[in-house]
Amino acid sequence: MDKAKVRERILEVGIIPVVRASSAGEACIAAEAVCKGGIPIVEITMTVPGAVELIRELVRSCGSEVLIGAGTVVNAEAARHCIEAGAEFLVSPGLNLQTVAFAAAEGKLIMAGALTPTEVMAAWEAGADFVKIFPCGQVGGAKYIKALKGPFPQIPFVPTGGVNLNTAAEFLEAGAVALGVGGELVQAEALKTNKPEIIVENARKFLAIVQHSRAQLKSAHADAKATH
């Protein structure tokens, strides 16, 4: 899939499930469950045992239906391994300029991590496709995204950390283009007890929030336009 299509799918779905499983088997169950719940995207973090091999396996088994990405990619070498395994997008917890440059050279989408305005500017100038604000919940959550959107209206923010069913709508209203969701969607307990139906249900709930919030924002925008 080319970079434009990857970007399109992320923007369209609006949720990036972050899989931090304790085994490759659990990660596979998680990927299948979020897809069944209507989210054909999964980010496999490098903290999963055998993550690169797992990405390769998932690309082979369900890459035609699910967009497989790699998370917690901290340097260009790790990025290279992930891309060779078939990852369609890369996500980093912080800003590593070499990783951003490598992704750009390979024509792969990258979501570079940032927290401060200085890091946001550096990530965007370096060529990041999205800027992941992490850990967002710990620094004000949706209010922090709203504050960043003031000086940076053109930058597509993806908050991660602190995103749950209660806060998801607030993040979208604050200007986030998509949400990175980990344990609140892919619950460790559901994987441990082999209850993927819980994850399927969570995926559906998150999707419903995205659709509802976007419809409300669209309607509010249309109303504002009409009154001018």
Side-chain angles (χ1 to χ4, degrees):
M1 197 183 281
D2 68 26
K3 190 157 89 164
K5 284 202 170 71
V6 172
R7 183 191 281 110
E8 209 175 283
R9 181 175 296 185
I10 289 170
L11 289 172
E12 186 191 332
V13 176
I15 298 283
I16 299 142
V18 183
V19 176
R20 293 186 187 91
S22 59
S23 70
E26 279 188 3
C28 262
I29 291 166
E32 281 168 20
V34 294
C35 188
K36 199 173 173 187
I39 304 176
I41 303 172
V42 72
E43 174 193 325
I44 303 294
T45 67
M46 289 298 101
T47 51
V48 174
V52 174
E53 275 315 306
L54 172 60
I55 288 170
R56 187 172 279 119
E57 198 179 303
L58 285 173
V59 167
R60 230 188 347 250
S61 62
C62 55
S64 57
E65 297 143 44
V66 187
L67 186 62
I68 315 283
T72 326
V73 179
V74 295
N75 55 46
E77 192 187 350
R80 182 170 55 78
H81 290 310
C82 294
I83 287 171
E84 283 171 358
E88 293 284 8
F89 65 93
L90 303 168
V91 185
S92 62
L95 178 58
N96 179 284
L97 295 173
Q98 288 84 359
T99 308
V100 177
F102 176 77
E106 293 290 318
K108 292 291 176 187
L109 185 139
I110 184 159
M111 218 171 276
L115 191 60
T116 66
T118 303
E119 290 167 355
V120 166
M121 283 162 62
W124 190 241
E125 282 167 16
D129 300 282
F130 293 95
V131 178
K132 164 181 160 169
I133 304 299
F134 172 80
C136 199
Q138 285 71 8
V139 293
K143 288 194 180 100
Y144 189 61
I145 294 293
K146 194 172 183 181
L148 286 175
K149 283 306 275 188
F152 308 120
Q154 79 286 17
I155 299 180
F157 291 126
V158 179
T160 307
V163 180
N164 55 46
L165 290 168
N166 297 321
T167 61
E170 292 166 21
F171 277 109
L172 294 162
E173 282 154 24
V177 297
L179 309 172
V181 192
E184 295 286 337
L185 168 50
V186 184
Q187 288 167 340
E189 196 53 37
L191 289 174
K192 213 174 285 172
T193 53
N194 194 22
K195 289 186 179 161
E197 62 276 11
I198 293 171
I199 297 168
V200 173
E201 192 49 37
N202 287 341
R204 287 182 181 141
K205 284 177 183 168
F206 272 106
L207 266 188
I209 290 170
V210 170
Q211 285 154 6
H212 180 68
S213 298
R214 285 178 172 174
Q216 281 194 314
L217 287 167
K218 203 174 175 183
S219 163
H221 185 65
D223 289 348
K225 231 176 173 181
T227 56
H228 279 306

